[in-house]
Amino acid sequence: MAFIIGDQLILRLSNNLIATICDAALAFVFLWLAAYVADWSLSTGELLTIVLVLGLVEAMYHRMLRELPAR
């Protein structure tokens, strides 16, 4: 779902920053809901750290996608 929304739709319509922010927000919501439903002891700091790392990896991934030749 995140791939379709963030990498296929938003990244094509906007830029890397907007797509990365949307992907990170989607990951935050998903992980927060998963932690709530599964009763994980995931603190807000841990959740934000995971989302920050994920956002950095997403930014690098989006940059790589932009540099690939179109098919």
Side-chain angles (χ1 to χ4, degrees), residues 2-6 9 12-13 20 22 24 29-30 41-42 44 46 54 58-59 61 63 65-67:
F3 174 74
I4 293 170
I5 293 171
L9 296 175
R12 290 177 188 216
L13 297 174
T20 300
C22 290
V29 170
F30 175 80
S41 60
L42 190 62
T44 305
E46 292 169 333
L54 180 70
E58 282 284 337
Y61 178 66
R63 185 173 297 150
L65 285 179
R66 289 276 189 193
E67 293 175 0

Side-chain angles (χ1 to χ4, degrees), residues 3-59:
F3 174 74
I4 293 170
I5 293 171
D7 299 332
Q8 296 299 315
L9 296 175
I10 297 172
L11 183 59
R12 290 177 188 216
L13 297 174
S14 64
N15 60 25
N16 192 9
L17 179 63
I18 301 298
T20 300
I21 290 170
C22 290
D23 278 341
L26 186 60
F28 181 89
V29 170
F30 175 80
L31 289 172
W32 180 80
L33 283 173
Y36 178 77
V37 170
D39 197 28
W40 294 342
S41 60
L42 190 62
S43 71
T44 305
E46 292 169 333
L47 182 58
L48 290 174
T49 301
I50 293 168
V51 170
L52 178 65
V53 170
L54 180 70
L56 292 172
V57 172
E58 282 284 337

